[in-house]
Each structure stands twice: as structure tokens, then as C-alpha cells.
Amino acid sequence: MTTLSDLEAQATRHKPAFGEHAHILCDNLVRIYKTEGVEVVALQGLDLLIEKGELIAIVGASGSGKSTLLNVLSGLDIPTAGLARVAGMDLLSMTAKDRLHYRRSVVGFIWQQTARNLLPYLTARENVMLPMKLAGKKAGRDRADELLELLGVADCAPRRPGQMSGGEQQRVAIAVALANSPEVILADEPTGELDSDTSEEVFGALRRANRELGVTAVIVTHDPLVSEQVDRTVGIRDGRTSSETLRRTSEDGDVIAEEYAVLDRVGRLQLPRDFTNALEMERRVRLELERDHIGVWPAGAGEENGE
Ligand code: ADP
Ligand code: MG
């Protein structure tokens, strides 16, 4: 006799593990900060899958956990629980030696504060050569110049950060992040201190790095128009992924960005707060399966008259 648990076992056997082939995998990621006895849950069971070579933006209100997520992915911070894997490396269990290698050669990072990305007493070229030296590679002057060229800042090579504009400094910072040919680059609000024209140039440079070098790029941003420029925009709310906007080009060549809610593996869904507020939905809702959609009603609505 086939029991229910046999069927379940069979079903899991044929189903690949969650995110088995993803380049970046976060599975039920939790990060709790403890300060003076108070716990702040910055990530509360975040799931995220990113394919190799994708260019994605992460958006969300201040305090939603974006920087916490990027710090985990960069190997700077260790999550409290869950699974985080990048390019096949497990970020929770790796050794100190692996972590150092990971941070030098597998990921590149760009901070919002332009001053934090570059050493002020080195030229742009020397800044790009520095990570190669630290990784024990022959300092590649030619490679540094190639990267600066790719990002449109070749003329900055002999200049120090103080002699460059904010946008130029951020583009040089991208070259620094790319110096050791990482698999992934992470940028935390790289255009946060820049005006919109300059932001556009920095974004263009990130896109070029993604397209020309095939590097997977994850960019945290406040700019709502960014979703038209990336493959996918992931919205984070309260430490969880809540929405995804996919960009596609219509038949007549228009770029269309469509927003979806994220459905997690066990079927959980986050309803947008303005929707639930508009219908005064709280704590409980009534669901109904229709032929081609699922209806969600405020608890109590339509129940009495058997609607
Ligand atoms: P975002 O980058 O989206 O603005 P963060 O990841 O910086 O959000 O923060 C998420 C939450 O975690 C916030 O409530 C923040 O106050 C808290 N937090 C972040 N870093 C720390 C820390 N080092 N110690 C304590 N709480 C923190
Ligand atoms: Mg932040």
C-alpha cells in the first residue's frame, strides 16, 4: 500500500533542492542584531535566488534590511540562521581562510560613500592595482587601464580621488571591485550621493561591467526608475523579499516593467500595505479559489449572505 509519506518522499525525490543551480542563494535567511539586550530582526526568513550573469536591483524602505543582506553576501557579516551560498561557497560555514579568499577574489563591493571606496593618496590606476597586489597577483597595470577604459574613466588613471568628480570616483570604485575578476559585484546605494545625470553614468558603467564581463551584479538603490534598466528588481519589506519587477520588451519595442508579489516555497505571500489598509484587512482574510485566480476578502465580508 502506498502511504501519504511515500508519496511525499516521492515528490521530494523528483524535485531539485531549492536553488540548487542558482549563483546566489538565500534560503530562509535570518539576521538578528542584539544591542544592550534589545533584539532587532533585520532579516526574517529572506529567500532569494539569482542566476549567473543577472543584473538585479534591490529596493525597499530605509531599515528594511537591504544593507544587512549585502553585508551577508559580501562575507562581512555572518547571518544568525538560514542558508547563504554564493558561487558554490557556503557563507555560514566557511573557514576564515576561505572567507578572506572569498572577499578578495569572489566578490567585489562598492559602497555608497565615495570616500570609502578609494584610498585618497593613490591614483585611480594604483587604486585598481591594489586588490591584485593584495591577492598576491602581479600588479596588472594594463588590466587596470583596461578596466578604467571599459567604465569610461580612462582619463582618470593618473588622478587621485580628490581630483575626480563623485561620479568618476564611483566608476573607478567599480573598476577596483572588478580588479580580481570576481564572479559577483555588490553595490550598496552606489549613486546615493550623486545627482541624477551622474547616477545614470554610474548605472551605465555597472550595466557595461555586467554585459561585457558577465559578472553577476546586485545593486541596492533608492531610484524608482532603475527597474527599467535592470533585468529584475527585488523589493524587500521588513527583512523579507516581497515583490519582483520583471522588465521585458514588448513587440513594438517598448520597455515594460511588470510587478509581481513573491510567493515563497510554503505558499506565503506578502500583500502590499496600501491594499490591506484600503480594505481594512487585519489578521485574517478569506480566500476563495476561482477558475483562474484566488480571491482575497476581508474577514467577514460576504459571509453572512452566503456570497
Ligand atoms: P536598509 O539598508 O534597508 O536601510 P539595514 O539593513 O541597514 O536596512 O537595517 C535593517 C534593520 O536592522 C534596521 O532596523 C536597523 O536599525 C537594524 N540594524 C542594522 N545594523 C545594525 C547593527 N549593527 N546593530 C543593530 N541594529 C542594526
Ligand atoms: Mg542601507
Side-chain angles (χ1 to χ4, degrees):
M1 193 180 91
T2 313
T3 65
L4 192 59
S5 61
D6 285 341
L7 286 175
E8 275 171 2
Q10 221 171 0
T12 38
R13 239 194 328 271
H14 294 295
K15 216 161 126 189
F18 178 67
E20 200 171 20
H21 303 292
H23 201 211
I24 298 178
L25 158 78
C26 297
D27 185 0
N28 216 352
L29 207 57
V30 175
R31 176 64 170 104
I32 300 169
Y33 292 110
K34 282 199 188 95
T35 34
E36 292 159 15
V38 183
E39 288 194 351
V40 177
V41 188
L43 299 178
Q44 29 193 325
L46 180 137
D47 293 330
L48 180 65
L49 297 178
I50 299 172
E51 299 302 319
K52 197 172 171 63
E54 256 194 295
L55 169 66
I56 81 151
I58 295 193
V59 298
S62 177
S64 55
K66 306 179 298 293
S67 294
T68 303
L69 172 65
L70 248 61
N71 286 340
V72 167
L73 294 179
S74 71
L76 263 178
D77 185 31
I78 303 174
T80 312
L83 190 67
R85 209 174 57 210
V86 177
M89 298 181 80
D90 183 337
L91 302 187
L92 278 91
S93 68
M94 69 183 161
T95 61
K97 188 164 162 267
D98 284 346
R99 190 170 294 277
L100 191 65
H101 163 73
Y102 177 78
R103 296 197 44 210
R104 277 194 183 146
S105 304
V106 183
V107 287
F109 203 91
I110 300 130
W111 303 93
Q112 172 177 357
Q113 300 87 349
T114 45
R116 202 169 164 182
N117 290 313
L118 304 174
L119 288 176
Y121 49 85
L122 296 182
T123 64
R125 183 187 288 127
E126 288 164 346
N127 265 290
V128 182
M129 285 161 67
L130 185 63
M132 305 185 216
K133 282 190 191 152
L134 291 175
K137 291 182 190 162
K138 268 238 186 76
R141 192 190 156 96
D142 292 347
R143 170 154 178 83
D145 286 354
E146 268 168 39
L147 286 171
L148 292 171
E149 171 91 53
L150 173 73
L151 303 171
V153 279
D155 51 329
C156 293
R159 288 194 246 152
R160 294 203 173 87
Q163 303 162 312
M164 301 177 223
S165 70
E168 285 170 339
Q169 288 181 51
Q170 288 304 67
R171 285 188 279 162
V172 172
I174 301 168
V176 173
L178 292 167
N180 286 328
S181 315
E183 302 215 26
V184 175
I185 51 172
L186 306 166
D188 194 353
E189 306 199 33
T191 62
E193 289 182 350
L194 307 175
D195 62 52
S196 59
D197 285 351
T198 318
S199 297
E200 184 64 40
E201 284 168 16
V202 172
F203 238 95
L206 285 163
R207 262 208 313 269
R208 214 166 311 131
N210 166 258
R211 220 171 327 128
E212 307 268 321
L213 306 174
V215 62
T216 306
V218 182
I219 305 158
V220 168
T221 176
H222 259 117
D223 186 348
L225 295 176
V226 147
S227 55
E228 286 168 19
Q229 306 187 32
V230 296
D231 306 327
R232 186 155 70 105
T233 304
V234 174
I236 295 196
R237 210 175 88 189
D238 301 332
R240 278 202 195 112
T241 42
S242 64
S243 68
E244 283 199 15
T245 305
L246 301 185
R247 187 195 60 169
R248 65 180 178 86
T249 310
S250 72
E251 280 164 20
D252 32 7
D254 294 335
V255 173
I256 306 170
E258 282 172 314
E259 185 171 332
Y260 296 86
V262 171
L263 184 65
D264 81 4
R265 259 179 308 159
V266 294
R268 275 181 302 227
L269 184 72
Q270 225 175 359
L271 298 173
R273 200 160 288 154
D274 39 338
F275 285 20
T276 54
N277 285 349
L279 298 177
E280 292 176 30
M281 289 177 171
E282 249 177 60
R283 271 179 35 84
R284 271 193 292 266
V285 291
R286 198 164 54 80
L287 299 179
E288 219 157 276
L289 179 63
E290 305 286 350
R291 191 177 48 80
D292 58 353
H293 69 278
I294 296 170
V296 184
W297 284 266
E303 270 169 358
E304 300 87 57
N305 44 24
E307 222 186 303

